[in-house]
Amino acid sequence: MRRRVSLALLLAPPLTWLVVAYLGSLAVLLVSAFWSTNSFTGAVVRTFTFDNVARVLTDEVFRTATLRTVSVALTVTVACAVLAVPLAFYMAKIASPRARLALVVAVTTPLWASYLVKAYAWRMLLSPEGPLSWATSYTPGYGLIATIVTLTYLWLPYMVIPVFAAFNRVPDSLIDASSDLGASDMSTLRMVVAPLVFPGIAAGSIFTFSLSLGDYIAVTIVGGKTQLLGNIIYGQLVTANNQPLAAALSIIPLAAIVAYLLAMRRTGALENV
Amino acid sequence: MLSHGARRLLRGWTFLVLVFLYAPLLLVVVNAFNSSRTFAFPPTGFTLHWWSDAWNSEGMWESLANSAVVGLGATGIALVLGTMAAVAVQRYDFFGRHVVSFLVVLPITLPGIVTGIALNATFTSALGVSLGLATVIVGHATFCVVIVFNNTQARLRRMGTNLDDASADLGASPWQTFRYVTFPMMRGSLLAGAVLAFALSFDEIVVTTFTAGPTVQTLPIWIFGNLFRPNQAPVINVVAAALTIVAIVPVWLAQRFGGDPATTRV
């Protein structure tokens, strides 16, 4: 009985905060998507209307931006996985224990460097007079490619760590057994290692996908004229001062991520987060 | 397993990815000393001039002070809430434990823009609160909780309950056990969580944009506002370089306190 009381006391403050401040806000977000603004004063009017949601679903501009944003998020996720898998394999299975530790630190330290500075670094790197065009006399310039590269750079550590953890959990004895039974390295990788590592990739992809989907800072810095959902939402809220439409638009990334989380749950990735 | 050639290939790949991760950061540091005003590459000369310009920038100091206030406030709240949630999840068995963990992690899983717009809608349209430092602190605390939670939870799991049980067997009250046994052992992870939560708050820009309103500027907001002004570029480059170098501090501190900066955010 006393344990019940102390548990309740322990849980009450954090749960109250998260439920009221966080889930409460998400609820307000969903509700406010059905409000409208006074066309004269711009003030939010709390009357129920489907206008915003209808506009989000039918407007060609929004639909194109949604498709573009989801494609960017998926491309970034694939790019992160391609970069991370060989690296994580090397870290977990080939590097010496000392080198492994050093690599984990080396891969995760950039996470703590300023996000803004990292995006800005790519702006400098890709500028027409920057190091890349100096060294190779080629630069993709600011646009969609630059956005994808920058987002891949920003979120790569989020992919490396879960994939590394997944490789780490594959027992060496399993790999030895597979090759003792006559499997080639490729078959062992494909039939023994890959299924065990896939949940790690899925776990990492939740971060890379979700973070790319909502980003508007990186695309503003290196994206040139590229419009992603993030900067359209920002524009609606700040420039057009249409909070309900911004709320309706931000349901798109929210829904996309919930769908993604549900899909990933079937892979067991959520236990790794 | 794997042939010699394949291993070398993997080592080369690892090296290239590390270059990919660190070259942009190196460029930021180099450009802060680039004497060319247009920051064309390669640098035309070495200068410390921009550093004194940055030092004398008033906007920078003002926004830095705001960032410090927000970081401390959010960290304080996150410390209390994150520790309570971690103790509850690790030391009690109850229905819905996974829901609590999930709820704590959710704010860093959902994109910042969703959290930001949601809080903005709540503060402005629903509650009618005017945006300022306080609303930024509330926003930051929400996603900083998970940092403290992850660090403390990992430590509690490693500690096990043997010493707590021994203390209880020897007649200590639950409070005494917590005060004299559990708390001293998890102090390091609390410090690590606090340092990392502060670092996360210090760097955050998206939720900040939507909860700060037009008058309050934190350091990232100030940088972003000046990023596209060519005559501010030297100062921005210096601040960027300083932030890049300083970023090692929380990682190093957290490691010293026995936290795990590598997996705290992932």
Side-chain angles (χ1 to χ4, degrees), chain A residues 116-117 120 123-124 217 220-221 234, chain B residues 37 39 53-54 56-64 205 209 214-240 243:
Chain A
L116 201 53
V117 169
Y120 180 54
R123 190 179 166 84
M124 297 198 288
I217 304 278
T220 311
I221 295 177
Y234 178 81
Chain B
R37 238 189 184 282
F39 297 96
D53 276 8
N56 294 320
S57 159
E58 251 173 57
M60 193 271 287
W61 289 111
E62 208 174 296
S63 55
L64 184 66
I205 177 159
T209 307
T215 53
V216 171
Q217 288 200 319
T218 61
L219 191 61
I221 303 256
W222 179 80
I223 296 177
F224 192 56
N226 286 293
L227 211 53
F228 304 105
R229 295 184 187 157
N231 61 336
Q232 282 281 37
V235 176
I236 294 298
N237 284 348
V238 167
V239 176
L243 283 179

Side-chain angles (χ1 to χ4, degrees), chain B:
Chain B
M1 181 180 137
L2 287 190
S3 66
H4 196 66
R7 280 161 184 263
R8 277 187 46 184
L9 219 64
L10 281 171
R11 185 173 307 134
W13 185 267
T14 302
F15 177 74
L16 285 179
V17 175
L18 287 179
V19 170
F20 174 66
L21 279 175
Y22 281 92
L25 297 177
L26 189 67
L27 174 67
V28 168
V29 176
V30 168
N31 252 355
F33 301 98
N34 186 345
S35 62
S36 149
R37 238 189 184 282
T38 56
F39 297 96
F41 209 83
T44 47
F46 176 90
T47 179
L48 287 173
H49 182 69
W50 311 134
W51 288 76
S52 68
D53 276 8
W55 188 264
N56 294 320
S57 159
E58 251 173 57
M60 193 271 287
W61 289 111
E62 208 174 296
S63 55
L64 184 66
N66 279 339
S67 279
V69 170
V70 169
L72 289 176
T75 304
I77 297 170
L79 261 183
V80 175
L81 299 179
T83 310
M84 293 176 107
V87 172
V89 165
Q90 276 302 315
R91 288 292 183 262
Y92 294 83
D93 197 21
F94 57 95
F95 181 74
R97 252 177 62 186
H98 290 290
V99 179
V100 174
S101 308
F102 184 71
L103 195 57
V104 172
V105 180
L106 197 61
I108 56 163
T109 315
L110 289 185
I113 197 161
V114 173
T115 311
I117 300 259
L119 288 168
N120 181 284
T122 308
F123 288 136
T124 56
S125 310
L127 298 176
V129 186
S130 58
L131 300 176
L133 279 183
T135 49
V136 180
I137 292 176
V138 171
H140 283 199
T142 307
F143 60 75
C144 282
V145 172
V146 62
I147 303 288
V148 177
F149 176 82
N150 280 349
N151 269 285
T152 313
Q153 192 190 211
R155 173 67 63 91
L156 285 171
R157 193 186 300 142
R158 275 200 304 272
M159 269 162 40
T161 54
N162 287 348
L163 286 172
D164 294 6
D165 294 344
S167 162
D169 285 348
L170 292 168
S173 72
W175 171 248
Q176 282 174 317
T177 301
F178 180 78
R179 170 75 185 75
Y180 296 107
V181 179
T182 319
F183 182 74
M185 288 202 300
M186 59 185 226
R187 196 160 39 201
S189 70
L190 289 180
L191 279 171
V195 169
L196 296 176
F198 184 87
L200 187 64
S201 159
F202 196 77
D203 177 40
E204 214 285 336
I205 177 159
V206 178
V207 174
T208 319
T209 307
F210 294 106
T211 49
T215 53
V216 171
Q217 288 200 319
T218 61
L219 191 61
I221 303 256
W222 179 80
I223 296 177
F224 192 56
N226 286 293
L227 211 53
F228 304 105
R229 295 184 187 157
N231 61 336
Q232 282 281 37
V235 176
I236 294 298
N237 284 348
V238 167
V239 176
L243 283 179
T244 307
I245 298 163
V246 169
I248 303 165
V249 174
V251 179
W252 176 75
L253 273 179
Q255 205 104 49
R256 266 192 67 115
F257 294 141
D260 189 3
T263 55
T264 296
R265 266 168 91 165
V266 183

